[in-house]
Amino acid sequence: MMLSRAKPAVGRGVQHTDKRKKKGRKIPKLEELLSKRDFTGAITLLEFKRHVGEEEEDTNLWIGYCAFHLGDYKRALEEYENATKEENCNSEVWVNLACTYFFLGMYKQAEAAGFKDRVSWVQWLTPVISALWEAEAGRSRASKSRLQNRLLFHLAHKFNDEKKLMSFHQNLQDVTEDQLSLASIHYMRSHYQEAIDIYKRILLDNREYLALNVYVALCYYKLDYYDVSQEVLAVYLQQIPDSTIALNLKACNHFRLYNGRAAEAELKSLMDNASSSFEFAKELIRHNLVVFRGGEGALQVLPPLVDVIPEARLNLVIYYLRQDDVQEAYNLIKDLEPTTPQEYILKGVVNAALGQEMGSRDHMKIAQQFFQLVGGSASECDTIPGRQCMASCFFLLKQFDDVLIYLNSFKSYFYNDDIFNFNYAQAKAATGNTSEGEEAFLLIQSEKMKNDYIYLSWLARCYIMNKKPRLAWELYLKMETSGESFSLLQLIANDCYKMGQFYYSAKAFDVLERLDPNPEYWEGKRGACVGIFQMIVAGREPKETLREVLHLLRSTGNTQVEYMIRIMKKWAKENRVSI
């Protein structure tokens, strides 16, 4: 309800409309606004009453409560801190303050404030997802020990203190509030199925706790069951269609199931019809838009959110990796102590990239250990990310048969994924299956990847092993002169020689010899030319090829050339071959 309707609008000489006007300017009650989740309206009402001298008891507590639900934790903190300075401070302030500190990431302060007073009736302050108040509204005064235990339970998790965590865990009871806290800890520790089991059990007895459907959907999202997540989420959205958190999750599911454009369309609908709860998650929405747009605007949006939204740091690292700025990515993540699978994986990727760039075995070893830790964990071993980690671990150990075991287990999900095909092709080629390796390399669409030397060298090797040396030679011809093109020439020269493809081996050694008068290149060229001559004599190579062989030999100033040319010319004359 708009407060402008409560303003007097009395015109002169229109006395007969007074009753109607009075009815139209009825001021809403605080309870009505809270029941509608209109926290912005509630704050406005409370501030208005404070301004006109009609301030109610504990106004600052209620303003803090509303600010908290709008995601304005700094405003809530300001109200609660001011309340603690008042004489005869309400005993409920301290636990409210403690939980506000918690949501601001000020865990030491939260712990200190949590012990100031242990009595509170505000159930929403349990450090579970903020929507929990829906499931707890209207409850009677809670036990001070249970609330304190839940707060300390979550703080123990944040402090990574397993001993305290288990101690507070043992104090949890089979009541809704405690079980919700336990489910949230399971979620944060990536035990998603355990969290789902708790939420579903609570929902069986409390169908009206609609918000729990969002938590179940979020768990399914984390388990990569995006279609199931959508189905569960729809139950909540049918009742609360303007929920920012639910619509944001729906957008994330669309991103995984379809693409960034479909996800952005969902967020656009959310922003166009934003309710008062939109303020609660506006930073989250800005963050996700960057992700949906493939990193567009990352440097403007993500840095201020690094210590606000946990994923912001990780996504900024991913942005730097995509820009090939490995050092900047490493600087951003090197001091991060990983606690989630995603953090372990990304730290492993950054160390692997830096190790390859610097030739550092230490960084490669760290990456391999991180990948093995995630892939071998009970919670991740059967997930696609977990299997990707094991594949990466074995890739770094050069155990390519093991790499293929894991890649084949989820190949059907990544048929058109360039990065998957790049790794799959390398593993196939490294195990000798160059035919399938070639097929996988040719599926890659990224021009950047196709111009990478690793791609070119492996594809050239596959061509040679598959008896297509001309295609390998054409890869070289398309390259600009550089150190990489020189390396590719060496690969073509030597691999073609090994495979008995002496014509292209001779051509490669000829170019190498002209670029670098190394005696080894002459020896390779000589052997390749003799090999071609033998194949011509045996009828396995066209006789016309002899003309080009002689041309290659004449480009060398070595004293052995004349003797070789004389022998070849003699054979050509005897066999009436025009040279």
Side-chain angles (χ1 to χ4, degrees):
M1 186 177 295
M2 294 178 64
L3 288 180
S4 59
R5 295 177 183 173
K7 293 179 181 178
V10 180
R12 294 182 222 177
V14 198
Q15 299 299 325
H16 62 280
T17 61
D18 283 353
K19 290 183 179 180
R20 186 179 64 213
K21 294 296 183 179
K22 286 180 181 179
K23 185 176 181 180
R25 66 174 189 264
K26 179 183 177 183
I27 298 177
K29 293 182 179 181
L30 179 63
E31 292 80 1
E32 295 174 0
L33 294 170
L34 292 177
S35 67
K36 295 177 182 178
R37 302 187 302 166
D38 185 0
F39 302 115
T40 301
I43 288 179
T44 305
L45 176 62
L46 290 165
E47 288 180 334
F48 172 75
K49 288 190 173 184
R50 176 188 281 175
H51 179 71
V52 299
E54 297 179 7
E55 186 170 5
E56 297 180 3
E57 185 180 1
D58 299 325
T59 293
N60 47 12
L61 285 183
W62 281 115
I63 292 177
Y65 173 90
C66 295
F68 186 97
H69 281 78
L70 286 171
D72 190 354
Y73 304 121
K74 292 181 179 178
R75 171 71 188 278
L77 180 67
E78 180 183 334
E79 292 292 337
Y80 292 141
E81 285 186 335
N82 287 337
T84 62
K85 299 171 185 176
E86 294 178 359
E87 195 173 345
N88 300 320
C89 169
N90 190 313
S91 61
E92 297 156 5
V93 170
W94 292 105
V95 71
N96 297 9
L97 179 61
C99 293
T100 307
Y101 278 135
F102 183 93
F103 274 88
L104 284 168
M106 303 166 69
Y107 303 126
K108 289 292 184 183
Q109 294 90 328
E111 186 177 44
F115 280 104
K116 286 281 187 179
D117 189 274
R118 304 181 186 179
V119 180
S120 177
W121 57 273
V122 187
Q123 286 299 305
W124 59 270
L125 288 170
T126 54
V128 192
I129 304 174
S130 60
L132 179 57
W133 75 279
E134 292 181 30
E136 299 179 342
R139 300 264 174 144
S140 60
R141 184 180 299 268
S143 163
K144 61 182 180 182
S145 60
R146 288 211 306 268
L147 178 57
Q148 181 202 35
N149 187 72
R150 289 195 294 272
L151 177 62
L152 297 177
F153 182 45
H154 281 265
L155 286 169
H157 167 72
K158 292 299 183 183
F159 293 141
N160 202 26
D161 190 327
E162 287 293 318
K163 187 175 180 180
K164 286 184 177 180
L165 185 78
M166 295 310 298
S167 174
F168 297 127
H169 183 187
Q170 291 173 356
N171 294 332
L172 295 176
Q173 299 178 24
D174 190 18
V175 296
T176 301
E177 295 85 351
D178 284 9
Q179 290 303 303
L180 286 172
S181 277
L182 178 58
S184 70
I185 291 293
H186 277 311
Y187 175 86
M188 289 184 283
R189 291 164 73 90
S190 302
H191 303 158
Y192 303 120
Q193 189 57 56
E194 290 86 342
I196 289 172
D197 293 341
I198 294 174
Y199 290 137
K200 285 187 173 180
R201 188 169 66 248
I202 296 173
L203 273 169
L204 281 175
D205 298 324
N206 304 276
R207 292 290 183 183
E208 69 276 14
Y209 291 178
L210 291 175
L212 297 189
N213 289 289
V214 179
Y215 308 158
V216 174
L218 190 56
C219 290
Y220 279 125
Y221 173 84
K222 290 292 188 177
L223 288 171
D224 299 334
Y225 295 134
Y226 308 119
D227 49 351
V228 179
S229 177
Q230 287 289 74
E231 292 175 9
V232 177
L233 196 59
V235 176
Y236 182 78
L237 285 171
Q238 285 175 355
Q239 300 295 321
I240 317 235
D242 65 341
S243 168
T244 301
I245 296 300
L247 290 172
N248 176 69
L249 179 54
K250 184 180 179 182
C252 291
N253 278 322
H254 277 218
F255 178 65
R256 295 297 187 181
L257 289 169
Y258 309 111
N259 51 48
R261 186 175 299 175
E264 188 175 347
E266 288 295 326
L267 285 192
K268 186 176 186 302
S269 173
L270 167 62
M271 291 183 287
D272 289 345
N273 302 286
S275 66
S276 61
S277 65
F278 179 72
E279 286 295 312
F280 167 74
K282 63 180 180 181
E283 291 176 331
L284 178 64
I285 303 301
R286 291 176 63 225
H287 168 275
N288 285 351
L289 278 174
V290 170
V291 178
F292 297 160
R293 292 169 179 171
E296 181 183 329
L299 294 181
Q300 289 73 40
V301 175
L302 298 184
L305 300 179
V306 162
D307 293 317
V308 178
I309 298 175
E311 291 83 0
R313 181 185 296 273
L314 307 186
N315 284 318
L316 189 54
V317 169
I318 292 170
Y319 172 80
Y320 283 129
L321 287 175
R322 287 178 174 172
Q323 302 302 311
D324 294 325
D325 195 345
V326 179
Q327 189 60 55
E328 196 63 41
Y330 179 72
N331 292 340
L332 196 60
I333 205 171
K334 64 180 179 180
D335 295 324
L336 174 69
E337 288 297 330
T339 57
T340 66
Q342 293 75 19
E343 290 170 347
Y344 277 104
I345 291 170
L346 193 54
K347 198 156 187 178
V349 170
V350 172
N351 275 280
L354 191 64
Q356 289 177 324
E357 188 174 274
M358 299 174 57
S360 168
R361 291 186 178 182
D362 290 339
H363 284 295
M364 300 292 275
K365 181 67 175 177
I366 292 171
Q368 179 256 316
Q369 290 173 341
F370 280 146
F371 290 141
Q372 188 170 15
L373 188 66
V374 175
S377 67
S379 63
E380 296 297 315
C381 62
D382 289 328
T383 66
I384 290 177
R387 294 180 185 186
Q388 286 176 309
C389 282
M390 287 308 298
S392 300
C393 170
F394 285 122
F395 204 104
L396 294 177
L397 292 171
K398 299 184 179 180
Q399 298 176 17
F400 296 105
D401 286 319
D402 293 319
V403 170
L404 288 171
I405 290 174
Y406 285 96
L407 293 184
N408 280 320
S409 71
F410 55 84
K411 179 184 177 183
S412 59
Y413 294 96
F414 292 91
Y415 181 78
N416 292 318
D417 186 276
D418 283 347
I419 295 176
F420 174 86
N421 286 325
F422 191 29
N423 291 330
Y424 186 75
Q426 290 180 80
K428 280 290 185 181
T431 54
N433 192 342
T434 53
S435 178
E436 290 188 27
E438 178 187 333
E439 290 177 10
F441 276 123
L442 295 178
L443 288 173
I444 295 171
Q445 299 297 313
S446 167
E447 289 300 321
K448 179 181 178 182
M449 200 172 288
K450 287 160 72 172
N451 288 320
D452 186 274
Y453 176 72
I454 301 297
Y455 174 90
L456 293 170
S457 60
W458 271 110
L459 181 57
R461 177 158 286 172
C462 288
Y463 280 147
I464 294 167
M465 298 302 166
N466 296 337
K467 301 179 181 180
K468 303 174 184 177
R470 179 180 62 81
L471 296 178
W473 181 250
E474 288 177 357
L475 288 177
Y476 161 72
L477 294 178
K478 293 176 183 177
M479 295 181 71
E480 295 181 1
T481 303
S482 64
E484 290 182 348
S485 66
F486 190 84
S487 296
L488 187 62
L489 265 179
Q490 291 178 310
L491 184 149
I492 294 171
N494 288 292
D495 280 13
C496 283
Y497 197 100
K498 292 174 187 175
M499 293 298 295
Q501 298 161 3
F502 296 117
Y503 176 67
Y504 286 99
S505 176
K507 287 172 71 70
F509 275 124
D510 178 61
V511 177
L512 287 169
E513 185 189 26
R514 283 187 273 126
L515 292 172
D516 180 10
N518 188 320
E520 290 184 1
Y521 296 143
W522 156 246
E523 291 173 5
K525 177 179 171 181
R526 179 187 63 189
C529 287
V530 170
I532 298 172
F533 182 57
Q534 288 177 326
M535 293 178 74
I536 292 172
V537 171
R540 294 166 54 195
E541 188 77 30
K543 294 179 180 179
E544 292 75 16
T545 307
L546 186 59
R547 187 183 300 111
E548 192 163 352
V549 172
L550 292 173
H551 176 72
L552 291 173
L553 288 171
R554 288 188 179 112
S555 66
T556 303
N558 194 285
T559 54
Q560 298 175 354
V561 169
E562 290 302 321
Y563 175 73
M564 294 175 66
I565 291 177
R566 191 162 57 248
I567 295 295
M568 291 179 184
K569 280 185 174 181
K570 181 181 178 183
W571 180 87
K573 184 177 181 180
E574 292 173 351
N575 290 271
R576 298 178 181 179
V577 176
S578 175
I579 55 174

